[in-house]
Amino acid sequence: MSKSDPYDVIRLFPDLIPQESRSSQDQERLPKLQDRELENGLLALIEFLTESIEQLLSIIDTTLLKCYLQTNDALVAPLLRLNHCHLEETEKTLRRHHKYSELIILYQTKGLHLKALELLEKQADQPESSLRGFHRTIQYLQHLGKEHMDLILKFAGWVLEQNPEEGLKIFTEDIQEVEHLPRPRILDYLLRQHKLLVIPYLEHVVNVWNDSNPIFHNALVHQYREKVQQLSATPSDDNEGSSLREKLLAFLETSSNYTPETVLVLFPYDCMFEERAIILGKLGRHEQALSVYVSVLGDVPKAMEYCDKVSVPAPIKTEPDLETALALLEQHANKINPVKALSALPDKVPLVCIKHFLETSLQKELNNRRKSQVLKGLLYAEHLQVQEMRLSYESQAVVMTEFNVCPVCKKRFSNQRFVNFYNYGVVPASANARYSPSGLDCLPQGYEPSEVSCELSVSTTEAKTECICALPQWGHCALFVSRQENFVACEAVFLHIPPEFSLVTLQTV
């Protein structure tokens, strides 16, 4: 700590001292600081006082620590959490008094996590130590956070070796710091160092934390598969193997986050057929899945259950199992193609055995035919309505002469294109607006044309030129007409216009 008395330094700034403590001699003796010099002086004073306070607090707290150790050591831990004690002096004092729990608090508040964890590991085997065991280490590691992942993995090893079940809580406890740890890195660590804990960790990640990352779902499938193969290859508890395989089958059925094409290639071809059938079903290869159920496993009820689940026709076995095939035909008659089924059945099958199947199939075909006939009639009725609308629109016409006047601009029409608005009148269109409705010279207020165009049928005679829109049923539209000698050009565009306007035919004479 600096030898200068803080009060003597503060007296160099008389304006900062209380009025009753000011000395007239100091005010006359000291120079008057202004502007930049005053600002620099105040900044230096702030730095000096801050350092002095920290040093003073360190001395006070360290002294208090020594006093508490001799009078009331229960107050040592709360004092250490204030983090003002002198590190080296406090460390020596606590070691001398064998206060290792308090020393852990000191290291933790000072950020010396490596020292704290080394002390915890060393004291874990001391019979008389307050830090004996692994629980304090687990708690310490759980609250470190992902920023200290290297330390967590370094000191988690000895805990996992002593008590794997409790040690796994370092990575699975439901606290915020643990949930935010990098899970792929933990999985990699467990795969390399503690393989027996991989399945419990993945089950917690998938089932408790509901992590949908395919990495963990694929890894859990692989771990289940490897464990099942190991248990089946070595004489062990059959109950454990059966239980683990049930877990695998249930997970393959329920999980939608693993990658079927990735996990399928690692399954053996000489066993675990039911698992392979489930994965094939996930890939949409239903025929192969059914083939496994029927041909390999010989489990027809399982195949029927699969068919009900995915809504595909059940497989029909050949003559050696004719009874089962006929039962399938009767139960799923409305799902099986009758032509393919009859072609697959042997000729010696009595007709009475497939009576129900034939009746159901014929009834289904009749129902489909009736639906098609009704639909055909409805479509024909709609066609007649459209034709009636077309004839109605074609019967309307507008005759244009040189005496017609635009109702918008009040000008006579010349050899130009124009547009007719039903119940409004005919207005001219710009000669350069062949496919752009925004080219109207006189567009009535409130009309917003779009950029959609359609083809028109055009007929010409010596007396007149008539333009007929071939698509009136598409909505309200208007015609653009160009009047030139021996030439007619027509376009139609859809306009956002009120429904009371409708299409009419334009005639030029």
Side-chain angles (χ1 to χ4, degrees):
M1 183 175 178
S2 174
K3 296 181 179 180
S4 301
D5 189 343
Y7 182 72
D8 291 337
V9 177
I10 296 174
R11 288 176 59 190
L12 297 176
F13 301 85
D15 294 337
L16 302 179
I17 302 176
Q19 185 70 33
E20 60 274 9
S21 301
R22 295 180 185 178
S23 171
S24 58
Q25 295 180 355
D26 291 340
Q27 293 181 355
E28 295 175 356
R29 178 170 53 86
L30 296 174
K32 189 72 173 179
L33 300 178
Q34 294 179 349
D35 302 333
R36 188 65 178 176
E37 292 180 348
L38 178 61
E39 182 181 353
N40 292 334
L42 292 175
L43 291 174
L45 177 63
I46 292 172
E47 182 179 356
F48 171 76
L49 292 177
T50 302
E51 181 181 354
S52 300
I53 291 173
E54 292 178 354
Q55 293 177 351
L56 184 60
L57 286 175
S58 177
I59 293 175
I60 293 173
D61 285 358
T62 305
T63 305
L64 280 174
L65 173 73
K66 295 178 180 179
C67 296
Y68 288 155
L69 286 173
Q70 299 183 38
T71 58
N72 188 1
D73 57 2
L75 298 176
V76 172
L79 177 66
L80 290 172
R81 293 189 178 94
L82 298 176
N83 199 18
H84 293 303
C85 294
H86 188 271
L87 176 61
E88 289 79 6
E89 184 67 22
T90 303
E91 183 180 12
K92 290 189 296 183
T93 303
L94 292 174
R95 285 186 180 275
R96 187 166 58 251
H97 289 81
H98 304 287
K99 295 292 184 181
Y100 296 111
S101 295
E102 289 77 4
L103 186 55
I104 294 298
I105 298 175
L106 175 67
Y107 288 149
Q108 189 173 18
T109 55
K110 296 293 185 180
L112 302 175
H113 303 299
L114 178 60
K115 279 191 170 184
L117 291 168
E118 288 176 345
L119 179 61
L120 286 170
E121 184 178 5
K122 183 178 180 181
Q123 293 294 317
D125 298 328
Q126 302 299 323
E128 303 298 329
S129 175
S130 59
L131 301 178
R132 186 174 183 272
F134 48 79
H135 292 93
R136 284 291 299 272
T137 302
I138 292 176
Q139 295 174 4
Y140 198 101
L141 293 174
Q142 286 173 342
H143 291 86
L144 277 181
K146 61 182 179 181
E147 297 82 7
H148 304 283
M149 195 62 200
D150 291 336
L151 280 177
I152 295 175
L153 297 181
K154 179 179 179 180
F155 288 92
W158 72 268
V159 180
L160 292 171
E161 290 175 0
Q162 287 194 8
N163 194 313
E165 184 177 351
E166 290 294 322
L168 189 60
K169 293 182 180 179
I170 298 172
F171 308 114
T172 59
E173 193 67 26
D174 290 331
I175 60 177
Q176 185 175 5
E177 290 84 356
V178 174
E179 291 187 20
H180 290 167
L181 293 178
R183 297 171 189 175
R185 188 173 178 185
I186 296 173
L187 175 60
D188 179 69
Y189 168 76
L190 294 176
L191 284 170
R192 289 185 289 104
Q193 303 291 337
H194 306 277
K195 188 133 185 219
L196 293 177
L197 298 176
V198 173
I199 290 180
Y201 175 72
L202 288 173
E203 288 178 341
H204 186 89
V205 171
V206 171
N207 300 327
V208 179
W209 286 340
N210 297 319
D211 196 319
S212 59
N213 192 328
I215 293 177
F216 304 120
H217 288 253
N218 291 344
L220 185 55
V221 172
H222 292 322
Q223 293 302 312
Y224 280 150
R225 175 189 55 79
E226 288 182 0
K227 191 69 175 177
V228 169
Q229 287 182 285
Q230 290 176 3
L231 293 175
S232 62
T234 58
S236 59
D237 187 3
D238 292 337
N239 293 331
E240 182 183 0
S242 300
S243 175
L244 195 62
R245 189 171 186 189
E246 288 177 2
K247 282 186 178 182
L248 173 58
L249 292 170
F251 187 73
L252 290 173
E253 285 276 8
T254 57
S255 175
S256 58
N257 295 310
Y258 67 88
T259 312
E261 55 269 20
T262 301
V263 301
L264 180 62
V265 297
L266 298 177
F267 274 80
Y269 290 93
D270 57 348
C271 61
M272 305 184 77
F273 299 111
E274 189 171 355
E275 290 84 349
R276 176 173 289 274
I278 295 174
I279 301 174
L280 288 171
K282 291 280 187 177
L283 289 170
R285 292 150 65 174
H286 303 302
E287 292 185 1
Q288 296 182 29
L290 288 171
S291 176
V292 173
Y293 283 124
V294 176
S295 303
V296 179
L297 297 175
D299 193 344
V300 176
K302 198 75 174 180
M304 295 171 61
E305 180 183 344
Y306 180 86
C307 293
D308 292 334
K309 185 185 306 181
V310 300
S311 298
V312 298
I316 301 177
K317 292 190 68 175
T318 55
E319 186 176 357
D321 198 2
L322 184 59
E323 182 178 351
T324 302
L326 294 176
L328 290 174
L329 285 177
E330 185 170 351
Q331 294 179 19
H332 302 278
N334 58 341
K335 299 179 182 178
I336 300 177
N337 188 311
V339 176
K340 292 183 178 180
L342 292 175
S343 62
L345 288 174
D347 296 336
K348 66 179 182 179
V349 176
L351 189 61
V352 68
C353 295
I354 56 174
K355 177 183 177 182
H356 174 73
F357 171 71
L358 293 176
E359 290 177 346
T360 304
S361 300
L362 289 174
Q363 187 62 43
K364 179 182 176 182
E365 295 298 325
L366 289 174
N367 292 338
N368 291 336
R369 182 178 180 183
R370 292 192 186 99
K371 291 180 181 179
S372 299
Q373 290 175 342
V374 172
L375 181 60
K376 179 181 178 181
L378 292 174
L379 292 175
Y380 182 69
E382 183 181 5
H383 171 72
L384 294 179
Q385 291 177 358
V386 171
Q387 294 299 320
E388 184 180 358
M389 291 174 61
R390 182 180 65 83
L391 294 174
S392 175
Y393 289 136
E394 289 178 356
S395 65
Q396 304 175 40
V398 175
V399 179
M400 300 296 298
T401 68
E402 64 271 15
F403 300 106
N404 290 89
V405 178
C406 174
V408 178
C409 62
K410 309 302 180 184
K411 297 179 181 179
R412 294 184 181 276
F413 292 101
S414 58
N415 289 333
Q416 65 187 98
R417 300 189 303 168
F418 34 82
V419 179
N420 177 71
F421 289 94
Y422 183 67
N423 291 338
Y424 189 86
V426 180
V427 298
S430 174
N432 295 325
R434 178 169 180 78
Y435 286 106
S436 176
S438 60
L440 292 175
D441 287 342
C442 301
L443 182 64
Q445 186 176 4
Y447 291 80
E448 298 178 0
S450 66
E451 293 292 339
V452 184
S453 62
C454 64
E455 297 292 334
L456 301 177
S457 62
V458 180
S459 62
T460 60
T461 63
E462 296 181 356
K464 63 179 181 179
T465 300
E466 185 178 41
C467 303
I468 304 171
C469 179
L471 302 170
Q473 70 274 19
W474 282 11
H476 301 288
C477 59
L479 294 180
F480 290 99
V481 181
S482 293
R483 295 199 327 174
Q484 299 180 13
E485 185 177 1
N486 297 328
F487 175 77
V488 176
C490 297
E491 309 96 43
V493 295
F494 287 100
L495 302 174
H496 301 294
I497 62 177
E500 61 266 18
F501 293 95
S502 61
L503 176 71
V504 297
T505 304
L506 296 183
Q507 292 182 341
T508 59
V509 296

